Amino acid sequence: MLKRLQIYEDRCTGCTSCQLVCSFAKEEYFSPALSRIMVDVQQEQARFRPRVCIQCAEAPCIETCPVGALSRDEATRAIRLDKGVCIGCRRCVEACPYAGVGFDEEQGLPLICDLCGGEPACVDVCRFPQAIRYAEEEGDNA
Amino acid sequence: MNTSYPGRVVRVNLSDNKIERQQLSSELLRAYLGGRGVGVRLLWDDVAPDVDPFDEGNALMFLPGVLTGTSTPCSGRTTVSAKGPATGQYLKTSVGGYLGIALKMAGVDAVVVQGIAEQPTVLVIDEQGGRLEPAGDTWGQGVKETTRRLKQRYGDDVEVACIGPAGEKLVRFAAVMTSVYNAAARGGIGAVMGSKRLKAIVIVPGRGGVRVHDPDRFSAAARQARELLYNDSVAPDLHKYGTARDVDILNELRLLPTRNFQRSALSGDAYNLSGRSWPKMGYLERIVSCGGCIYCCHRFTRVSSGPYAGTASGGPEYETVAAFGSGCGILELEPVLAANALCNDLGLDTISAGNVVQWAMETAEKGILTEDDLGGLKLSFGDAEGMLELLMMIGERRGVGDVLAEGVARAADKIGHDSHRWAVEARGLEQSNVELRGAYSYALAFAVNPRGPDHLHTECLAEFGGTNEGISLVEKLTGDKSLAVPDTEIGRAKIVRWHEDMYAVTDAVGMCAFSTTAAYSLDEHALAELVAAATGQEISGEELMKAGKRILTLERCFSLRHGLEPSCDDRVPRRMMEEIPQDVQKGEPMDRERLSRMLKEYYELHGWDPETGRPLRTELHRLGLDFAAEVAVGPCEKGGSR
């Protein structure tokens, strides 16, 4: 069975290390604003919510894209973005029921997780909390 | 050059509303790295010896580290530095949360604030620079409400570092709070901010990000560092149970300071106070992390029923549990959580606040502080309500709280009646909760700590021999692994010397002590590889440690220039030197002679004059600190080996 990125919101400690390694893996520098995984941090109540593409079986982002810039990688099931085709309309951002698609204002492009080709960088920095796992489906997925 | 820490300083003068940019030279960055190192170098130039900590000439600095904002594990720390109100000498504090990452993302490596604002002020920092705005209705508010209002004003995603009422009222142990619950706690750093009428610094998230010189090399070094940290023997428990995980074990070992250090254990089981029990007892709501950490040792706790229902706050850490639990003779966790939440919101250092309350309890039990003096409080050890009321009085400088807000040394001056004998302080700072009468490295380290007696300048956990990593380190430093025992003088100076250099480097690069000196995953070579890959400046482990020594030595010079007298200031609190815990049958206090022998060896290892404890000019020259020669002794030799 194929692996999938799984998020356990209640285990997230808000370290945001995933945002740092993600932006570095994708852009070669550290900038949470460019991370494909986004962590909502509510400091006062210590509530943290990681948001990222979880490779839904039916991908509303692909269906809604008016120019066909999004497709699915057959090997990993990750969503692929064709930057040359994308017009930056943000419909994928709005269509994602999981709020798992971000947007890079400067380049006018969506930020969608590509699973780093099958070895997602964010998973390794979350080894203790285990809020992000890359594994086969589990029954209790939050 | 210095890609990950290019040396961009925002300089603010609140007296004349000026904000300027300053660029640090690459020579300065090479010598002092960043964070704490850059801080002491700037303090030396910026703060003249005759400046009082509350004068406009004092400089308050916020300094993330060289690696802060990168994926180096546990690298989210920020040094907050100034001339300190508790000691009148050098002060550095270190804080986690998200402050450092926010500053680096806004393109700022250091913030230096001087002057005094006419009206309460907020400093807003963004990628364009900074601006000063009125603090408005946040002045007078607690930390939670201040943070809420500033987020309403500037946006949910801004980072706020602020003071509470305690800082505004110049309590000499007020903290600077960031990310609501993270404290730059010790030495009265929050009072310096209050004296400047600076309520808060607000950092608007930037998009520029943090770059490293060699991404591939850095990536490999960071991955290796992460692997080492994950495999550290203390890591799993630190994550699961936090820094207060072993309170019950310390109690059994009679190493838990109790009742103002009169005893070494609570009579009874301390399991409730131990972090291990909190998940089961329902107090632990969430495991929380500082930005950029992989250990996540911080907590968020809540009390949902009973008299303390509604209490919810970040922490508590071990030190807070010892300060308000065993220290105050309190066995239950709930009042400790309430005291922790109160201090977080008033913006008080829990270590000093707890120590002050303990001193007041003992002074009241001895009949010197009367019910009248205490505004009607019948204070005694074990009195949770009295403890909480006293904390309020201190935070607001109400009644006797006004005297206690000056810290135990000054309070004992005022109250008299020999109450200095149980004021557990040195240099004007209240001691942290370590039983050092049987831990000689700690005693030595506390005696020479420039900010006063605590464990956050030099954490010598290795001497206990409690982990394989610690035993190996003692063997490496002394040549004898059987010296990994705490109650011997032999080898202590060597153990302290290594730890203090390593701690200075750790602070300078912006990492947490749990990666290098309180747990020992990363050595100087691992750090050097990270620094070289991140900055583009090749540096060896040896050079890095030399930079650590340079930072320490300049801190010593700063304090000497500002009135440090080694013969009376290099000491531990009187109670440590004169008494043993009442519940311990054997053992000796850390008497003056023993400490003097260790100090002499320590001074010699440093290249300081063994009699006076002042650096020799030759050593300053070796470290490139000739400019500080005015406080040194000995001949002025040029051309010493570099």
Side-chain angles (χ1 to χ4, degrees), chain B residues 243-252 256 270 273-275 318 321-322:
Chain B
T243 56
R245 63 200 179 279
D246 289 335
V247 171
D248 51 341
I249 297 169
L250 287 172
N251 195 49
E252 278 168 37
L256 183 66
L273 293 178
S274 160
Y318 161 76
V321 172

Side-chain angles (χ1 to χ4, degrees), chain B residues 52 530 580 618:
Chain B
D52 184 86
L530 284 160
I580 61 167
T618 46

Side-chain angles (χ1 to χ4, degrees), chain A residues 8-18 20-25 27-34 39-50 103-108 111 119 121-131, chain B residues 69-72 98 101 105 144-145 147-148 151 156 158-160 178-181 206-212 214-216 218-219 223 226-227 229-231 235-236 239 285-296 300 302 312:
Chain A
Y8 297 81
E9 193 177 310
D10 56 344
R11 295 181 193 165
C12 176
T13 65
C15 74
T16 66
S17 295
C18 54
L20 292 170
V21 288
C22 177
S23 58
F24 190 58
E27 311 287 342
E28 285 213 331
Y29 68 102
F30 300 96
S31 175
L34 295 176
V39 185
D40 299 334
V41 174
Q42 208 289 351
Q43 295 174 348
E44 190 189 307
Q45 295 300 317
R47 295 206 183 109
F48 313 110
R49 181 187 173 214
F103 198 76
D104 175 2
E105 302 290 345
E106 234 151 72
Q107 293 196 58
L111 299 165
E119 283 180 48
C122 53
V123 173
D124 189 51
V125 295
C126 200
R127 229 187 277 180
F128 278 151
Q130 300 257 315
Chain B
T70 72
S71 60
T72 305
Y98 304 97
I101 294 178
M105 293 302 160
K144 264 189 199 179
E145 187 57 31
T147 308
R148 265 182 223 146
K151 281 177 180 280
D156 255 353
V158 299
E159 177 59 19
V160 174
T178 190
S179 312
V180 192
Y181 304 120
R207 301 182 49 84
V210 173
R211 288 171 196 274
V212 291
D214 183 339
D216 289 339
F218 179 83
S219 199
R223 191 176 305 119
R226 215 153 43 228
E227 213 52 54
L229 283 164
Y230 278 133
N231 288 316
H239 171 76
E285 184 160 305
R286 192 106 174 191
I287 291 175
V288 177
S289 179
C290 294
C293 181
I294 58 171
Y295 277 175
C296 324
F300 184 79
R302 188 184 294 276

Side-chain angles (χ1 to χ4, degrees), chain B residues 350-368:
Chain B
T350 57
I351 298 177
S352 282
N355 182 307
V356 166
V357 172
Q358 293 169 41
W359 176 85
M361 286 175 166
E362 187 170 345
T363 310
E365 285 194 350
K366 286 181 158 72
I368 297 164

Side-chain angles (χ1 to χ4, degrees), chain B residues 93-94 172-175 183-187 257 260-261 317-325 327-328 339-340 343-344 347-359 391 394 407-408 424-425 429-434 446 451-456 459:
Chain B
T93 60
S94 170
R172 270 183 210 269
F173 43 94
R186 302 237 66 201
N260 201 28
F261 295 85
E317 304 302 331
Y318 161 76
E319 282 292 333
T320 306
V321 172
F324 296 120
C328 288
N340 173 61
C343 287
N344 283 345
L348 281 174
D349 167 22
T350 57
I351 298 177
S352 282
N355 182 307
V356 166
V357 172
Q358 293 169 41
W359 176 85
L391 287 174
I394 291 167
V408 285
V424 185
E425 60 77 34
L429 186 87
E430 294 75 19
Q431 188 188 304
S432 66
N433 296 290
V434 176
F446 279 34
R451 79 177 185 187
D454 78 7
H455 57 292
L456 298 162
E459 175 77 272

Side-chain angles (χ1 to χ4, degrees), chain B residues 16-57:
Chain B
D16 52 15
N17 276 305
K18 254 195 199 151
I19 298 182
E20 288 170 344
R21 289 266 185 179
Q22 178 193 359
Q23 177 60 49
L24 300 175
S25 71
S26 56
E27 291 74 31
L28 189 146
L29 297 179
R30 180 156 193 96
Y32 299 94
L33 308 174
R36 171 175 158 191
V38 163
V40 69
R41 183 64 190 87
L42 296 180
L43 273 180
W44 178 271
D45 284 343
D46 286 351
V47 183
D50 59 348
V51 166
D52 184 86
F54 296 149
D55 284 350
E56 59 181 354

